[in-house]
């Protein structure tokens, strides 16, 4: 906080010394409950979508002793056999959960959800203790509180369950927290900042390479949220997507072509729909100007010019 105080209940480094908590904080889908002195506790779900540098998603892992073990064919077959027995369905009718996206899709397939997806930027990742993860938890808790306040005026808000999705990638090549822990805040902070400064233009191409996979995963979640309830009624789900810094560049790169198509197909007098979910927010995106001027030009081409006005070549 600005006053220098820290909330230990939201500091993963402070509580992850307990092995049980460290295991829980590594879960791809987490349920967080916040006690309240004024009524029922607030609750939200925190999920993760992590991508490798080549855009490949991370598979779920199984905890074995003190190490993580990637899900293999034998483990998958055992899980499917157990699900076949529980549901009494053949293997062809089952969709096993093997990735973080599978887990999130299953979670969002029923009920009413208010989803906040955040794509972090430069000098961050999804490791335990990253401040962006802590900030997203704060935001999710506030969103749950706001929905509760809105409930008397909007019945759909009463049933909405907040899910915060942290889209992680290797935006940090330097372990700045490790340097501060080893050398102190002064010296470690200086060398960490100095070392990280040289990685901006190294991380930017990675954010653009991951963009298609990240946007594809978000569109899968969008399609899942758009599915009606079993009785055919609208589930009134919402999806807000935000990207900061190189995370904003990732979204700008992945959504640019769809946004241009949307502008060119737009009919005068109609509201231009969001290019992804209900709202896309780019926070200080680290992108070139041509990503914005291309959209501006497409808008100008669709805007009737005043008599005598011309459009610059």
């Amino acid at each position: 906080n600005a006053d220098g105080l820290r909330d230990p209940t939201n500091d993963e480094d402070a509580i992850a010394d307990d092995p049980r908590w460290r295991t829980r904080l590594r879960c791809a889908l987490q349920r967080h409950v916040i006690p309240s002195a004024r009524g029922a506790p607030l609750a939200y779900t925190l999920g993760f979508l992590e991508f490798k540098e080549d855009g490949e998603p991370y598979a779920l892992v199984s905890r074995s002793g003190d190490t993580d073990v990637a899900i293999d064919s034998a483990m998958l077959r055992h899980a499917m056999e157990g699900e076949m027995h529980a549901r009494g369905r053949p293997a062809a009718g089952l969709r096993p959960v093997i990735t973080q996206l599978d887990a999130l899709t299953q979670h969002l397939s029923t009920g009413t959800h208010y989803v906040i997806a955040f794509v972090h930027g430069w000098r961050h990742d999804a490791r335990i203790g990253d401040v962006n993860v802590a900030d997203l938890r704060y935001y999710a808790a506030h969103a749950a509180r706001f929905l509760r306040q809105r409930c008397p005026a909007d019945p759909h808000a009463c049933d909405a369950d907040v899910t915060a999705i942290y889209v992680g990638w290797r935006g940090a090549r330097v372990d700045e927290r490790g340097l501060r822990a080893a050398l102190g805040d002064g010296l470690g902070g200086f060398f960490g900042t100095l070392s990280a400064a040289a990685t901006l233009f190294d991380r930017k191409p990675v954010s653009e390479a991951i963009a298609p996979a990240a946007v594809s995963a978000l569109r899968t979640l969008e399609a899942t949220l758009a599915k009606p309830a079993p009785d055919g009624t609208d589930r009134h789900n919402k999806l807000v997507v935000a990207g900061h810094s190189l995370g904003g560049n990732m979204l700008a790169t992945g959504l640019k072509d769809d946004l241009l198509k949307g502008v060119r197909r737009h009919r005068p007098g109609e509201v231009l729909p969001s290019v992804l979910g209900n709202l896309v927010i780019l926070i200080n995106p680290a992108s070139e100007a041509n990503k914005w001027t291309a959209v501006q030009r497409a808008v100008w081409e669709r805007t009737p010019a005043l008599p005598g006005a011309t459009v610059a070549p």
Side-chain angles (χ1 to χ4, degrees):
N1 297 334
D3 56 10
L5 298 176
R6 296 176 63 191
D7 179 4
T9 63
N10 197 41
D11 185 349
E12 292 181 338
D13 282 332
I15 65 176
D17 290 336
D18 184 336
R20 295 173 302 173
W21 274 107
R22 179 167 288 274
T23 300
R24 294 166 183 168
L25 293 174
R26 292 172 66 87
C27 290
L29 202 60
Q30 307 170 8
R31 187 66 175 172
H32 292 249
V33 179
I34 306 171
S36 173
R38 299 183 179 180
L42 293 172
Y44 62 88
T45 299
L46 176 65
F48 291 84
L49 275 177
E50 299 175 74
F51 296 91
K52 302 177 183 179
E53 299 216 354
D54 59 359
E56 285 293 315
Y58 278 96
L60 294 179
V61 295
S62 176
R63 194 69 175 167
S64 177
D66 295 328
T67 61
D68 288 335
V69 179
I71 291 180
D72 57 20
S73 58
M75 295 170 63
L76 181 58
R77 182 171 60 254
H78 177 74
M80 290 186 67
E81 289 173 352
E83 193 166 354
M84 287 168 56
H85 182 269
R87 298 191 183 187
R89 294 169 58 186
L94 299 177
R95 298 189 64 180
V97 176
I98 58 175
T99 67
Q100 295 170 328
L101 180 59
D102 292 329
L104 279 167
T105 300
Q106 187 179 87
H107 167 68
L108 299 175
S109 62
T110 58
T112 300
H113 299 274
Y114 188 95
V115 181
I116 306 162
F118 175 74
V119 188
H120 71 77
W122 180 43
R123 298 169 71 177
H124 291 279
D125 50 34
R127 76 181 70 188
I128 291 177
D130 191 283
V131 67
N132 274 185
V133 179
D135 291 340
L136 183 60
R137 285 199 299 266
Y138 272 128
Y139 197 92
H142 282 300
R145 179 171 64 89
F146 293 150
L147 287 175
R148 178 173 294 181
Q149 292 175 339
R150 188 183 300 173
C151 175
D154 181 4
H156 300 308
C158 304
D159 300 326
D161 182 44
V162 173
T163 296
I165 300 173
Y166 189 85
V167 181
W169 59 287
R170 196 183 175 199
R173 286 194 62 189
V174 177
D175 185 3
E176 296 183 59
R177 288 187 296 122
L179 287 173
R180 287 195 298 270
L183 303 177
D185 289 340
L187 189 60
F190 171 77
F191 281 113
T193 301
L194 184 65
S195 302
T199 67
L200 173 60
F201 295 102
D202 169 73
R203 296 294 86 197
K204 187 173 180 295
V206 174
S207 72
E208 294 170 348
I210 295 172
V215 170
S216 176
L218 291 171
R219 291 212 180 280
T220 298
L221 298 180
E222 179 186 35
T224 300
L225 293 169
K227 293 180 180 178
D231 60 2
T233 58
D234 187 354
R235 292 194 288 147
H236 301 283
N237 293 322
K238 301 294 182 183
L239 172 61
V240 178
V241 182
H244 174 247
S245 178
L246 288 180
N249 180 59
M250 186 185 299
L251 290 176
T253 301
L255 296 174
K256 177 184 172 183
D257 289 344
D258 291 332
L259 184 55
L260 290 174
K261 291 177 183 177
V263 170
R264 290 165 182 161
R265 294 171 181 171
H266 177 249
R267 296 180 179 180
E270 295 182 357
V271 176
L272 182 67
S274 172
V275 70
L276 176 63
N278 298 95
L279 179 66
V280 177
I281 305 170
L282 304 185
I283 308 168
N284 192 26
S287 299
E288 302 91 340
N290 62 17
K291 286 189 173 71
W292 318 115
T293 56
V295 177
Q296 289 175 331
R297 186 174 298 279
V299 172
W300 291 338
E301 291 173 351
R302 298 284 295 166
T303 303
L306 296 173
T310 60
V311 178

